[in-house]
Structure formats: C-alpha cells, structure tokens
C-alpha cells in the first residue's frame, strides 16, 4: 500500500523525505488506520506506545527507534468521540530536529549568560564608581578638615542632586 502511494506521489512530482515527521492514526487495537508520514516506517516500539496510550487513556511521550533505526520523539494521544476513546493519534519528529536546536541553544546559553553577567557587572561597577566619585572627594576633604586643616574647601561638584547640595 505504501509503495503504491509513494509511486502516485512521485508521479505528481512529490518526493517523500526520510525523517521529517510522523503523523499516524491507529485503532485502539494497534492497527494502523491512516499514515500521513514521510518515509518513516512503523516499529514494534511505536505499536507498544499506541497500546500504552489506549490502555491508559492519556498521552504517552517516548523516544522510539523506527524500522530504519531513525530515532523519533513520538507522542501518542487518545482521540475521543462522544466521550469515548475512538483512536490513537501518533505525532512525532525526528530526534535530530529536536536535539540539534537544543544543542545550539545550550551553547548560546553557556556563552551568553556569563558574558552578559560580566558585562552587566562591569557596567554597574563603572556607573557606581562615577556616581560615587564626588562623594569620595567630599569625604576626603571632610576628613582633612576634621584633622585640623581648616584651609580646606569642599570641591566644586557639577551636579544638581543631593551630592551637589552636600558640597
């Protein structure tokens, strides 16, 4: 049946691609009713996934090697009709399409988080230092006056905030 469908698709100019995604409809018994998947074959582990979803009546998510040895992340979801369990829908994607973006994201996070943290730390330090520089000058002058050098004058501060008022 699959070969006839593949041949019909080729005649229409549509080429099936291995390993993109899985979309199948199963009977509760595990019998394949419809297959909208690319060339990915079924396997006994996929059928076991379907039977587990049918028995439990809830979604089952697993990594499964299909017939050609391709790893897929599959989700078997019970489909209900009038409140009764009617079939199992299996959807999935090839592991490479899941793990490659996750590896890239992990690398970005491993690099970006420390670099961003360091940049924020340095920026915060520089901003705090420049904001507190007039306070340090005022403190040093006040200490010299307290030590008895009454010729000292507070340094001129070019700000119109509390530090400028203090100076």
């Amino acid at each position: 049946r699959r070969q006839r469908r593949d041949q019909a698709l080729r005649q229409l100019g549509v080429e099936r691609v291995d390993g993109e995604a899985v979309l199948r409809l199963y009977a509760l018994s595990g019998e394949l009713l419809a297959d909208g998947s690319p060339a990915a074959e079924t396997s006994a582990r996929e059928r076991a996934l379907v039977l587990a979803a049918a028995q439990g009546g809830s979604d089952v998510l697993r990594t499964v090697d299909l017939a050609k040895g391709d790893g897929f992340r599959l989700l078997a979801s019970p489909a209900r009709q009038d409140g009764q369990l009617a079939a199992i829908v299996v959807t999935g994607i090839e592991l490479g399409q899941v793990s490659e973006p996750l590896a890239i994201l992990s690398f970005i996070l491993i690099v970006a988080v420390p670099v961003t943290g360091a940049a924020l730390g340095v920026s915060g330090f520089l901003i705090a230092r420049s904001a507190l520089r007039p306070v340090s000058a005022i403190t040093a002058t006040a200490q010299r006056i307290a030590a008895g050098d009454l010729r000292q004058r507070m340094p001129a501060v070019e700000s119109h905030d509390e530090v400028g008022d203090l100076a």
Side-chain angles (χ1 to χ4, degrees), residues 8-147:
L9 287 171
R10 270 192 231 90
Q11 288 174 350
L12 293 172
V14 176
E15 199 60 40
R16 292 169 59 111
V17 178
D18 283 343
E20 290 178 355
V22 172
L23 178 60
R24 297 187 176 115
L25 181 65
Y26 283 90
L28 297 177
S29 64
E31 176 189 352
L32 181 62
L33 299 175
D35 187 356
S37 304
E41 299 291 329
T42 62
S43 72
R45 292 190 66 196
E46 181 179 356
R47 187 168 186 276
L49 175 77
V50 169
L51 295 174
Q55 289 173 351
S58 62
D59 292 349
V60 178
L61 180 66
R62 289 193 188 139
T63 300
V64 174
D65 287 335
L66 298 181
K68 292 182 181 179
D70 298 329
F72 280 78
R73 191 71 174 155
L74 298 180
L75 174 66
S77 299
R80 300 182 188 282
Q81 184 176 18
D82 299 325
Q84 297 294 319
L85 200 56
I88 304 295
V89 177
V90 175
T91 59
I93 189 167
E94 188 177 17
L95 273 180
Q97 293 185 358
V98 175
S99 59
E100 288 174 22
L102 287 177
I104 292 169
L105 180 61
S106 295
F107 176 75
I108 289 170
L109 289 175
I110 288 170
V111 172
V113 169
V115 168
T116 303
L120 289 172
V122 168
S123 298
F125 172 76
L126 293 175
I127 290 170
R129 188 174 74 175
S130 69
L132 294 176
R133 188 173 289 135
V135 174
S136 297
I138 292 170
T139 302
T141 303
Q143 287 173 343
R144 287 192 296 271
I145 291 172

